[in-house]
Amino acid sequence: HVQLVESGGGSVLAGGSLRLSCAASGYSPAKYAMGWFRQVPGKEREGLATLDWRGITAYADSVKGRFTISKDNDKNILYLQMDSLTPEDTGTYRCAASWDVTAPAALGRISSPEFGYWGEGTQVTVS
């Protein structure tokens, strides 16, 4: 079965950087789409970044220019490099995976339970 396991979260000062990882197992569709979304208590889940099988990426305006999504296809690990972090970036970051959907389309759907598979998340705290 598909399993997504995130790591790399932690506490960082404003202006700092973190790199999140999402190790995927049991998941290798030809037309994959993977990405990250953020959960903050009391707020709607927010899709942040997506990547599809063509190498196309999409970003939310809130993170564009600061976050970079990438994937190691050999290891089947998805990354999210986060730079210039602000306290507003605090939250639980979850990895998600689906198939047959492009990165731009996935950005608007990734935080929906119907998207596909979700990981349990990793906490990021920026102070």
Side-chain angles (χ1 to χ4, degrees):
H1 70 286
V2 176
Q3 191 172 21
L4 304 173
V5 180
E6 302 94 335
S7 61
S11 297
V12 64
L13 295 176
S17 299
L18 283 173
R19 188 176 81 155
L20 306 183
S21 299
C22 171
S25 59
Y27 171 81
S28 58
K31 293 186 177 180
Y32 68 84
M34 299 182 73
W36 296 88
F37 68 94
R38 178 167 62 204
Q39 282 185 273
V40 178
K43 294 186 178 181
E44 287 191 8
R45 290 186 291 263
E46 179 185 13
L48 301 175
T50 52
L51 170 69
D52 68 28
W53 74 97
R54 304 166 299 165
I56 302 296
T57 59
Y59 296 93
D61 288 342
S62 61
V63 304
K64 200 172 294 183
R66 300 188 300 122
F67 290 11
T68 304
I69 189 170
S70 62
K71 185 174 183 283
D72 184 326
N73 289 319
D74 290 335
K75 297 180 180 179
N76 214 9
I77 298 176
L78 184 74
Y79 298 102
L80 185 68
Q81 176 66 41
M82 306 188 295
D83 299 319
S84 303
L85 287 162
T86 73
E88 289 69 38
D89 294 316
T90 295
T92 300
Y93 284 67
R94 301 182 71 170
C95 173
S98 188
W99 56 94
D100 285 343
V101 59
T102 65
L107 190 62
R109 306 178 195 173
I110 192 170
S111 59
S112 167
E114 292 73 33
F115 179 72
Y117 303 98
W118 287 358
E120 291 298 316
T122 185
Q123 178 66 31
V124 172
T125 303
V126 186
S127 60

